Amino acid sequence: MQLDPAQQVVAEHIDGPMLVLAGAGSGKTASITGRAANLIQSGVMPETILMTTFSKKAASEMRNRLGDLVGLELGSQAQICTFHSLGDKIIKEWPEECGRRDGVSILDESDQRGLFRRLLKEVVGVDSLQKLEYRKWLSAYDRLAQDGGRAVETHHANRFCQIMQSHAGIEKKDQLNWLWRVFGAFEKFKAEQNVVDFNDLLVLPLQALNKNPRLCEALAMRYQHVTVDEAQDTSVAQYQMVKSFAELHGRLIVVGDDDQSIRSEERRVGK
């Protein structure tokens, strides 16, 4: 694999943190997979390499490229996955630390919506569901999760209200109050039934890592070389989840293109 001088700097970086700003077509994927290959070829155990990215497609591309460089047997031992997949692994391996039990299952989007609609009726007695914009409320709640918050921690209440006002157009205090109650019941039900939704795959591991230094140490020992790809599109919860353990050894490379940032674009158009 031929790399230009800038790409070679990334591929040959072994120890310590690095920030890589690279635009489309700059060869960043070749650079970071080349780095993983160099690590493996220098004697680093492939299972200690973690590469997280925004989408399954990007993870698959990196996995295939690494396999081409070091062979499928070695390449497949590296942990190359999305942030949600990493969170899923953490929850299933340390369920109690993440507020769940063995055998946890994942709610799909349809199940999540059905549960929320049921709780609207049970908690606040709302019957005219066809007139309610509950999907917008769930979407707004996703924003809270992206910041690492849930409607069971009172210190997130102000942020909850801000997001519901800005992203769901809710201004009335009484409506904000009963929505907080509904989402609190939503979180309680998931814990009692030992289920998680897509947001929990980020929020629960992050909260567990923040509360449990030994969990951070265990993951830092397991994943000794960490790369965050497509960093411009990661949420606060995604980045903090990885940073919480990678900062213990400092071998963290963050790669992104700020010109293509989804969140930067949202800020520019005022979303």
Side-chain angles (χ1 to χ4, degrees):
M1 177 178 62
Q2 296 296 320
L3 300 176
D4 65 29
Q7 294 168 345
Q8 198 68 39
V9 170
V10 177
E12 294 178 355
H13 184 79
I14 300 298
D15 204 13
M18 174 180 275
L19 172 64
V20 180
L21 297 179
S26 61
K28 64 182 180 65
T29 301
S31 301
I32 58 179
T33 53
R35 175 178 179 271
N38 285 338
L39 288 171
I40 293 171
Q41 291 164 352
S42 69
V44 169
M45 295 184 294
E47 58 268 28
T48 66
I49 296 173
L50 171 66
M51 303 173 75
T52 58
T53 189
F54 188 67
S55 68
K56 291 182 180 179
K57 181 179 179 181
S60 178
E61 180 182 356
M62 288 196 294
R63 197 177 298 113
N64 291 337
R65 289 202 185 194
L66 182 58
D68 290 339
L69 294 173
V70 299
L72 291 177
E73 183 177 355
L74 285 175
S76 63
Q77 295 176 43
Q79 183 63 54
I80 304 175
C81 61
T82 65
F83 294 96
H84 288 87
S85 178
L86 175 63
D88 184 36
K89 294 177 186 295
I90 293 172
I91 292 172
K92 288 179 178 175
E93 187 165 354
W94 289 280
E96 290 187 9
E97 289 80 355
C98 294
R100 295 297 187 266
R101 306 180 298 278
D102 286 337
V104 63
S105 57
I106 300 176
L107 291 174
D108 62 24
E109 187 174 3
S110 176
D111 291 335
Q112 181 199 46
R113 289 176 177 175
L115 171 60
F116 185 74
R117 291 183 63 174
R118 194 185 92 191
L119 290 172
L120 278 171
K121 289 182 179 180
E122 294 180 359
V123 176
V124 294
V126 173
D127 293 320
S128 302
L129 295 177
Q130 70 275 10
K131 297 180 180 180
L132 298 177
E133 297 181 287
Y134 68 92
R135 292 188 182 186
K136 184 183 291 187
W137 299 342
L138 283 168
S139 179
Y141 192 65
D142 288 346
R143 297 287 177 143
L144 183 67
Q146 289 166 10
D147 290 344
R150 296 188 301 156
V152 291
E153 293 93 4
T154 55
H155 60 279
H156 289 142
N158 286 339
R159 180 60 176 155
F160 173 87
C161 292
Q162 291 171 359
I163 289 175
M164 286 297 164
Q165 289 169 344
S166 61
H167 293 282
I170 298 174
E171 299 292 341
K172 294 181 179 180
K173 185 176 180 179
D174 61 337
Q175 192 173 12
L176 289 170
N177 285 337
W178 62 251
L179 268 178
W180 175 263
R181 287 163 48 208
V182 172
F183 277 110
F186 179 67
E187 296 295 347
K188 181 180 179 181
F189 179 91
K190 288 186 295 179
E192 290 174 347
Q193 298 301 313
N194 202 33
V195 298
V196 295
D197 60 19
F198 205 53
N199 289 326
D200 293 327
L201 298 179
L202 301 176
V203 177
L204 295 183
L206 174 59
Q207 293 182 335
L209 287 161
N210 287 338
K211 296 175 182 177
N212 194 329
R214 290 188 177 182
L215 178 55
C216 291
E217 293 169 2
L219 288 171
M221 183 66 68
R222 175 178 299 180
Y223 301 124
Q224 298 180 25
H225 301 272
V226 181
T227 299
V228 173
D229 185 33
E230 304 289 358
Q232 75 277 0
D233 295 330
T234 61
S235 68
V236 172
Q238 289 171 330
Y239 178 66
Q240 289 294 334
M241 178 173 66
V242 173
K243 178 177 177 290
S244 64
F245 61 85
E247 66 182 358
L248 295 183
H249 52 59
R251 291 183 288 274
L252 172 63
I253 290 188
V254 177
V255 184
D257 177 6
D258 54 356
D259 288 335
Q260 292 188 13
S261 172
I262 290 174
R263 304 184 200 291
S264 293
E265 179 63 22
E266 289 176 345
R267 287 192 293 269
R268 283 196 291 270
V269 300
K271 290 185 179 179

